[in-house]
């Protein structure tokens, strides 16, 4: 497909002919792991985003697994017994107004 040719061209421009071709082979091998339909969609997305790296393709293939569901809220009513009043720092204000003793 054209998107593969475009990605291969970008990889060769970025990494040189030999390393760009190796990178394209690495992209194609991702099809074994994720399926060729998903790989094609990831390559299309990679090209449309302007990226030209194997890691970008792999990220787009795995990013669905990175999303986690929202946690359900928990009842914190039982934790109310641990509530404490906020401490007062008024005693520390004395340190700001007292003259400095000693030398540096």
């Amino acid at each position: 497909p054209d998107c593969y040719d475009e990605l291969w061209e970008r990889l060769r421009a970025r990494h040189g002919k030999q390393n760009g071709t190796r990178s394209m082979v690495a992209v194609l091998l991702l099809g074994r792991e994720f399926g060729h339909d998903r790989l094609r969609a990831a390559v299309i997305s990679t090209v449309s985003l302007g990226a030209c790296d194997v890691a970008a393709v792999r990220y787009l293939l795995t990013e669905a697994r990175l999303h986690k569901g929202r946690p359900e809220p928990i009842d914190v009513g039982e934790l109310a017994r641990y509530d404490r009043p906020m401490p007062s720092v008024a005693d520390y204000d004395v340190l700001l107004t007292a003259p400095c003793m000693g030398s540096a």
Side-chain angles (χ1 to χ4, degrees), residues 5-53:
D5 292 335
E6 176 69 26
L7 180 62
W8 190 13
E9 194 62 39
R10 289 182 186 182
L11 289 169
R12 285 189 294 184
R14 181 175 183 189
H15 301 291
K17 185 176 180 181
Q18 185 175 8
N19 289 330
T21 301
R22 283 185 183 147
S23 296
M24 189 62 194
V25 169
V27 168
L28 294 174
L29 288 174
L30 292 173
R32 289 181 179 174
E33 185 178 348
F34 297 99
H36 295 287
D37 292 335
R38 287 184 58 201
L39 177 62
R40 185 175 181 167
V43 169
I44 290 170
S45 295
T46 301
V47 169
S48 70
L49 293 171
C52 57
D53 195 41

Side-chain angles (χ1 to χ4, degrees), residues 76-86:
V76 294
E78 294 180 18
L79 299 176
R81 63 183 173 188
Y82 297 108
D83 283 346
R84 300 289 181 259
M86 291 296 292

